[in-house]
Amino acid sequence: MQRIVTDRYLPPDHAAFVAAEPPTGRLIVIAPTRAACETIEIALGLHIPTLLEKQHGREIRDLAGAGKGFGIVAGTGTGKTLSIRPMAETILRTDTLKVGVVNREREATPETPTWNVIVVTTGIARRWFQDGDILPTDTLVVDEIHQTSAELELCLALGKRVGCRFIWLSATVDPTFYARYLNAAAVLETSAFDPAKAADVKIVRKEPLTFLDDRFLQQVVKERRGVGMFLPTRAGVEEAAELVRDRFPRINSAFYHGGEPIRIIRPFLEGEEKKPYFLAMTAAGQSALNVHGLDTVVIDDTRFSNIIERGKNVLTRLHLGANEILQMAGRVHGRVAGGRVFILSDRDIHFRSLQPTAPEFQLAGDSERVAMTCADLGVRADELELPVPLDRVAYRKAVTLLEQRGIIENGRLSRYGKAVEAMPVDRPWAELLVNADDELVPYLAVMSSIESLHRMTREDRDLSGVTVPGSDHLTSYNLYAEAFSRCGYIGEVYGLPRHLFDESIEKWAEQRGVLVKAIEDAALATASIYRSLGMELPARMVNARDHIYRKFTQLLAQYMPFDLVIDELTADGTEARVSKTSVAGTWGAIAGSLRYFADRSGIPRAAIEGTQIPMELIRRYATRGETELIYDPRRKHGPLLLKQTVEYFGFELDSEIETIEEFPAAHAGQARHVLAEAVARGEARHFAVKKNRDTIEEIREAYKRSGGETGRLGLAELTALYEEQLAGVNSMDEFRAARLMVDREKFAPRAVSERLEALPNQVMIRDREVDIDYDVEERDGHRRGVARLRLPEKVARSLTEGEIPRLDRPVRFVVLRGQRGAVRADTLAELQNLLAQPWSPDEIEESAEDRDMQSHAEREVHRIAGEFRRHRRGRYRGGASQFKKRRRGR
């Protein structure tokens, strides 16, 4: 039975909320994180003089009062967040602000309609848009707009669709795009940069750990420096802090990244930590932190970013962008006397010439999120003015997947889809929670709240006693259950029940190699899930054992909402290795999250971690595919086959093949079509293939020479002609005896053919005979004949327009390059430009229709080029395939 789900983040009474809209509209502040929500709430209650207020206070109030949208681009410490209060007082025409926050730990309440300033995270803002809770009269204030995410970009598009006014706040970026996209009347720029405090910036060609040598650290101690080092990975951050701590105990050393609670570096933020100190941080971890006493910044010129390749998010190692370098260096550059900045890079960077750039958007990689949002709103994706072009192929695939899963019906969310959408977790976990029984809910609630076992633990982890062999998901649950059993209790935060942990959690986490923040975030998300389901939070967490593993794998096998890999291959044949940190086995079926990353050569690779599912369960829930008739020309006797497949979520597990002599009544028409097509392709063992070959070639040549005036006889037309003549055939014996004729007079009468044969087959260019291939172009619905000159490459490179002969139709060009393929062009300039490239254009796989209409010479070149490409691919891929076969054999 499908569960009833309540979205606790929406106003409980939509009608009451909309009816209470003040005449001025509400101020909706969209923040990137729940911690930012809390910071903004505090700022809305403060009156503190700021640099931004000093420089632009009057302009901000004038723009806010005039009902105009605008942007503020300002560096750290200028008072961007504090400027929201005067904006709110001006727009709402009152100094009585009723502020409320809705984020993952603070749900909407019956008092929500009384708030005139509402602070929400991006994901919750998107839900409010979908529910119609944000109106055209509302003003949207987007804080830290430069911290791009798919949810934020959707909010921008949805806000434009509703017609809201935008006020946006950003750190150092080029604001040109935002100003245009959000119709800003003005962009106010403020910087706390003091030229007298410009930092000493050096580019150093060293790795981070090599840079932290005795000479540098001794200087830190001698000059009593406060050092911040920015690194791309949490492992690098921890390693750097440990190195400094071990070698120079006199330096106060600590680290911070997204997996750590902010309290561990609070002394640095509050100015309690004495110099010299060393604080290693990831770029994500440092974005909103103001570290007191910081006067030295070390920047590793490396980041890992998701690049969209064919609809897949590929984690790729890149250099830092100008925005990131300027923001990191800006912690001391122009703000601190005697500041120093070291950029560790293998490239030449001219720091003084760096300029802010446009933001990098993320939405293109989240087509499923866009598809569900559009279905909920009842709009098409092209009706949303998205800030970045959507990958339409990936979007269509996402819609098809959601339709197959019953989430979208007739372009809208189904009843099932609405229940899934209301859950505060990703769609795959939401599906499992909606369909699971009560016994599995505690396990699913926790597992869906943990990003992954790998992200939850450090490299030197201890999983003894908690490992569930074959399941990363249940192993991560067991870690949480043990943490709660030993260090946890049920308490309340903002009046809502939640699992909380005492101080002993730090020691437990250190022993296990678990990140405390991952446990605390899981507790927050678990409480949110239980509230959505209307269930009481469990006071006791029991470890998962074999019984739960069997129930969980059965639920997975039945619904399979995750990515699936069988024997380290995806359904489309892509190799996907099981992650090194996974507790799942290498072979068999594994359901989980596929992650793509670029290796050192830049080649995308796939890895998975998840839960191993027994193959008997896979087969239990497999389905029979559609019955298919195929013609196999390699089989001399019985080439017509009836194929029945056993399929499971895109995988073909098995197939049954039966030789057909007498056509089954239900498949007779399909059998005749398959045979007709086999004859048309020249694959069937039938006397008509050889008998009609010359006639077919003559008809096709006449069609091309006539510019499309005579009848076309491509693969589709020839198949239809043969199929008509096979109308009464019901067995293979009757097929072999059937007379299949092609009447040339019907397509190209003799008189017409004789006229067309008189057209020249060659022209003289530079005393050389150049062959002419006649062809028909179809462009923009119009069809016309062309003459394609088959030029030698040496002649083509130096040919001039004056040497091109005049013919009775437009002239095109082709150069045949053997195994390198063919180069085609409409103009001589285009041809010579293509020939000047170091390689031929990538060959597009032609359809059978295209191949049939090519000249014999072009077909030969394409055949040679295809064999060459297959041979080259085999050198790189065949080895791996053979290796896998040998491993299976063992």
Side-chain angles (χ1 to χ4, degrees):
M1 184 181 72
Q2 186 177 306
R3 293 180 178 278
I4 298 174
V5 181
T6 304
D7 193 332
R8 299 286 181 179
Y9 302 115
L10 297 176
D13 187 337
H14 170 72
F17 180 79
V18 173
E21 176 89 347
T24 58
R26 294 184 174 93
L27 198 75
I28 310 293
V29 184
I30 302 176
T33 64
R34 70 174 190 274
C37 289
E38 312 298 332
T39 303
I40 293 167
E41 183 183 28
I42 294 170
L44 285 164
L46 299 175
H47 291 274
I48 299 175
T50 65
L51 181 63
L52 183 61
E53 171 67 23
K54 180 181 177 180
Q55 293 184 356
H56 298 291
R58 181 177 294 277
E59 291 174 84
I60 290 172
R61 288 177 176 82
D62 289 345
L63 288 166
K68 296 178 179 179
F70 61 95
I72 297 175
V73 177
T76 302
T78 55
K80 290 194 303 292
T81 304
L82 290 167
S83 71
I84 298 176
R85 181 182 178 93
M87 292 180 203
E89 291 174 340
T90 305
I91 292 169
L92 300 173
R93 301 177 201 148
T94 178
D95 57 2
T96 304
L97 302 182
K98 297 179 180 178
V99 182
V101 173
V102 180
N103 57 24
R104 199 163 194 177
E105 59 188 345
R106 298 168 70 174
E107 64 186 35
T109 69
E111 287 72 41
T112 300
T114 66
W115 303 339
N116 54 16
V117 180
I118 304 173
V119 187
V120 294
T121 53
T122 53
I124 289 170
R126 189 256 308 159
R127 290 171 183 239
W128 281 35
F129 277 118
Q130 290 176 219
D131 196 51
D133 293 319
I134 298 178
L135 306 179
T137 52
D138 293 332
T139 299
L140 300 180
V141 177
V142 185
D143 191 28
E144 306 287 356
I145 198 172
H146 61 281
Q147 293 189 29
T148 55
S149 68
E151 292 282 24
L152 173 60
E153 290 151 35
L154 262 178
C155 285
L156 299 181
L158 294 172
K160 286 175 67 70
R161 178 176 178 269
V162 171
C164 297
R165 170 169 60 141
F166 282 92
I167 298 173
W168 43 276
L169 315 177
S170 176
T172 308
V173 294
D174 179 351
T176 306
F177 171 81
Y178 287 126
R180 175 183 56 79
Y181 179 68
L182 300 177
N183 302 315
V187 177
L188 310 179
E189 299 192 48
T190 294
S191 171
F193 181 80
D194 182 351
K197 297 179 179 178
D200 177 22
V201 181
K202 293 183 178 179
I203 314 300
V204 182
R205 294 181 181 273
K206 286 185 178 181
E207 293 297 318
L209 297 185
T210 306
F211 175 80
L212 296 173
D213 56 17
D214 289 351
R215 181 181 178 184
F216 173 76
L217 295 177
Q218 285 169 357
Q219 193 174 27
V220 169
V221 173
K222 181 180 178 181
E223 298 179 6
R224 300 189 63 79
R225 289 264 170 185
V227 181
M229 185 177 219
F230 300 132
L231 298 162
T233 66
R234 71 185 194 196
V237 161
E238 294 179 12
E239 194 173 8
E242 185 177 0
L243 180 146
V244 173
R245 186 184 301 115
D246 290 345
R247 292 173 57 185
F248 279 77
R250 286 191 294 170
I251 298 177
N252 300 321
S253 180
F255 64 85
Y256 176 71
H257 53 66
E260 296 293 332
I262 191 71
R263 61 176 177 268
I264 69 171
I265 62 165
R266 193 162 299 282
F268 292 90
L269 306 180
E270 297 176 354
E272 298 174 4
E273 198 68 52
K274 303 299 181 184
K275 292 186 179 182
Y277 66 70
F278 175 85
L279 179 58
M281 296 175 281
T282 56
Q286 63 82 28
S287 59
L289 302 181
N290 288 315
V291 180
H292 287 264
L294 190 68
D295 56 30
T296 303
V297 167
V298 183
I299 303 169
D300 181 11
D301 183 25
T302 305
R303 63 181 171 127
F304 290 91
S305 182
N306 285 320
I307 304 296
I308 310 303
E309 291 192 16
R310 300 178 182 177
K312 297 172 182 175
N313 274 315
V314 181
L315 189 66
T316 308
R317 184 187 180 104
L318 304 169
H319 286 116
L320 292 175
N323 290 346
E324 291 90 352
I325 293 176
L326 290 171
Q327 287 166 18
M328 293 176 187
R331 296 288 172 179
V332 300
H333 183 50
R335 295 179 62 190
V336 179
R340 303 187 70 183
V341 175
F342 299 91
I343 303 176
L344 312 183
S345 180
D346 59 357
R347 57 178 177 152
D348 294 325
I349 298 174
H350 302 285
F351 179 78
R352 304 294 179 187
S353 62
L354 290 181
Q355 294 294 323
T357 61
E360 295 182 1
F361 294 107
Q362 309 292 318
L363 185 58
D366 201 353
S367 301
E368 187 176 296
R369 177 69 270 157
V370 177
M372 291 187 70
T373 299
C374 290
D376 196 15
L377 293 168
V379 301
R380 299 193 312 270
D382 56 10
E383 293 178 14
L384 294 179
E385 190 181 342
L386 297 167
V388 60
L390 190 67
D391 185 333
R392 298 196 176 276
V393 174
Y395 173 76
R396 286 193 293 270
K397 288 181 178 178
V399 171
T400 301
L401 171 67
L402 295 172
E403 287 175 340
Q404 291 171 346
R405 301 200 65 82
I407 290 173
I408 293 180
E409 291 179 357
N410 302 319
R412 299 299 301 265
L413 287 184
S414 63
R415 182 170 174 269
Y416 174 63
K418 285 185 176 296
V420 169
E421 171 73 349
M423 288 296 300
V425 294
D426 292 337
R427 189 267 307 165
W429 287 109
E431 287 198 62
L432 294 179
L433 281 159
V434 167
N435 290 289
D437 61 22
D438 287 354
E439 186 182 17
L440 275 180
V441 166
Y443 304 92
L444 294 172
V446 171
M447 291 186 292
S448 64
S449 304
I450 296 171
E451 185 178 353
S452 69
L453 179 63
H454 169 70
R455 299 288 296 175
M456 184 186 194
T457 56
R458 304 182 193 278
E459 290 186 11
D460 54 342
R461 65 190 185 183
D462 175 15
L463 301 181
S464 58
V466 296
T467 301
V468 178
S471 179
D472 299 309
H473 296 130
L474 288 170
T475 299
S476 64
Y477 164 84
N478 278 353
L479 281 171
Y480 179 90
E482 182 178 281
F484 180 73
S485 299
R486 296 189 181 184
C487 317
Y489 60 96
I490 289 185
E492 285 192 0
V493 179
Y494 294 108
L496 301 173
R498 193 198 301 179
H499 288 164
L500 300 174
F501 301 88
D502 57 34
E503 294 179 357
S504 64
I505 188 70
E506 302 281 356
K507 183 177 180 181
W508 173 87
E510 185 67 28
Q511 292 172 343
R512 280 291 191 187
V514 174
L515 298 175
V516 174
K517 192 170 186 295
I519 297 292
E520 293 177 342
D521 286 349
L524 171 61
T526 298
S528 176
I529 292 166
Y530 268 89
R531 292 200 302 275
S532 295
L533 295 175
M535 298 174 67
E536 186 176 342
L537 197 64
R540 182 169 173 265
M541 305 295 289
V542 180
N543 273 22
R545 298 302 180 200
D546 291 346
H547 165 66
I548 294 299
Y549 177 78
R550 287 193 297 271
K551 286 198 69 170
F552 178 49
T553 53
Q554 183 171 337
L555 183 70
L556 280 178
Q558 185 175 356
Y559 293 99
M560 192 45 64
F562 293 122
D563 297 319
L564 181 65
V565 167
I566 298 181
D567 291 346
E568 295 197 316
L569 292 174
T570 63
D572 63 3
T574 302
E575 188 175 44
R577 297 295 180 90
V578 177
S579 297
K580 294 179 181 178
T581 55
S582 174
V583 299
T586 306
W587 299 111
I590 298 176
S593 298
L594 266 176
R595 289 183 172 84
Y596 295 89
F597 61 94
D599 63 16
R600 293 186 178 182
S601 302
I603 299 172
R605 306 289 186 191
I608 192 169
E609 64 176 56
T611 295
Q612 207 157 5
I613 303 176
M615 286 306 295
E616 56 265 26
L617 281 177
I618 296 291
R619 293 189 178 278
R620 180 191 303 178
Y621 292 102
T623 58
R624 286 195 169 273
E626 293 184 5
T627 301
E628 180 186 11
L629 276 171
I630 56 176
Y631 187 91
D632 186 352
R634 296 167 299 181
R635 295 168 62 103
K636 186 173 182 180
H637 303 289
L640 186 63
L641 307 169
L642 186 68
K643 183 179 179 182
Q644 175 77 62
T645 60
V646 177
E647 299 176 352
Y648 182 80
F649 290 95
F651 285 87
E652 183 179 305
L653 302 180
D654 205 354
S655 62
E656 299 172 0
I657 296 179
E658 177 186 352
T659 302
I660 298 297
E661 287 296 330
E662 301 288 334
F663 301 165
H667 302 290
Q670 185 184 358
R672 288 190 282 269
H673 175 79
V674 168
L675 292 171
E677 187 174 58
V679 178
R681 289 180 182 276
E683 296 174 345
R685 296 177 184 275
H686 194 283
F687 67 88
V689 171
K690 184 176 181 179
K691 180 180 178 181
N692 296 334
R693 183 177 296 139
D694 292 342
T695 302
I696 292 169
E697 287 294 330
E698 289 171 6
I699 292 171
R700 288 174 174 168
E701 183 63 22
Y703 172 78
K704 289 186 283 188
R705 282 174 172 261
S706 70
E709 293 178 9
T710 62
R712 177 184 172 92
L713 192 61
L715 178 64
E717 292 82 7
L718 186 56
T719 298
L721 178 65
Y722 285 150
E723 191 172 354
E724 183 180 349
Q725 297 177 44
L726 291 173
V729 171
N730 288 294
S731 69
M732 287 301 293
D733 287 340
E734 293 177 11
F735 163 70
R736 296 185 186 98
R739 295 188 63 196
L740 302 177
M741 308 294 293
V742 178
D743 185 358
R744 182 174 59 182
E745 287 292 316
K746 181 180 177 181
F747 290 88
R750 183 171 297 278
V752 175
S753 297
E754 290 175 355
R755 175 173 59 82
L756 295 174
E757 287 172 3
L759 292 172
N761 294 320
Q762 296 172 326
V763 292
M764 295 296 295
I765 296 179
R766 295 184 180 177
D767 299 326
R768 297 184 63 167
E769 292 184 341
V770 173
D771 292 331
I772 303 174
D773 292 330
Y774 293 95
D775 205 350
V776 178
E777 284 184 348
E778 295 188 25
R779 296 181 181 177
D780 302 324
H782 299 288
R783 186 167 56 192
R784 65 174 176 176
V786 297
R788 186 167 283 110
L789 302 183
R790 202 189 310 159
L791 296 168
E793 183 168 349
K794 186 175 182 180
V795 172
R797 286 180 178 273
S798 58
L799 193 66
T800 64
E801 292 284 350
E803 296 176 282
I804 301 173
R806 294 187 176 275
L807 300 175
D808 65 340
R809 63 196 70 195
V811 175
R812 302 288 185 257
F813 306 92
V814 62
V815 172
L816 307 182
R817 308 176 90 179
Q819 66 184 19
R820 298 182 65 193
V823 178
R824 294 187 183 203
D826 289 351
T827 66
L828 183 61
E830 181 187 355
L831 177 71
Q832 291 173 342
N833 181 56
L834 290 172
L835 292 174
Q837 302 300 318
W839 50 77
S840 296
D842 290 336
E843 292 292 321
I844 300 173
E845 293 296 330
E846 302 89 7
S847 65
E849 186 87 10
D850 294 331
R851 287 193 294 272
D852 285 334
M853 300 305 292
Q854 289 172 351
S855 68
H856 174 74
E858 285 187 282
R859 287 202 298 270
E860 273 299 294
V861 168
H862 283 299
R863 182 186 65 78
I864 294 169
E867 288 180 359
F868 174 73
R869 288 194 301 276
R870 285 192 294 274
H871 172 70
R872 184 170 56 188
R873 283 197 296 264
R875 288 207 312 251
Y876 297 110
R877 298 180 183 175
S881 300
Q882 295 302 317
F883 175 67
K884 292 187 75 171
K885 289 178 182 177
R886 288 198 296 272
R887 289 180 66 187
R888 286 195 181 98
R890 282 187 287 177

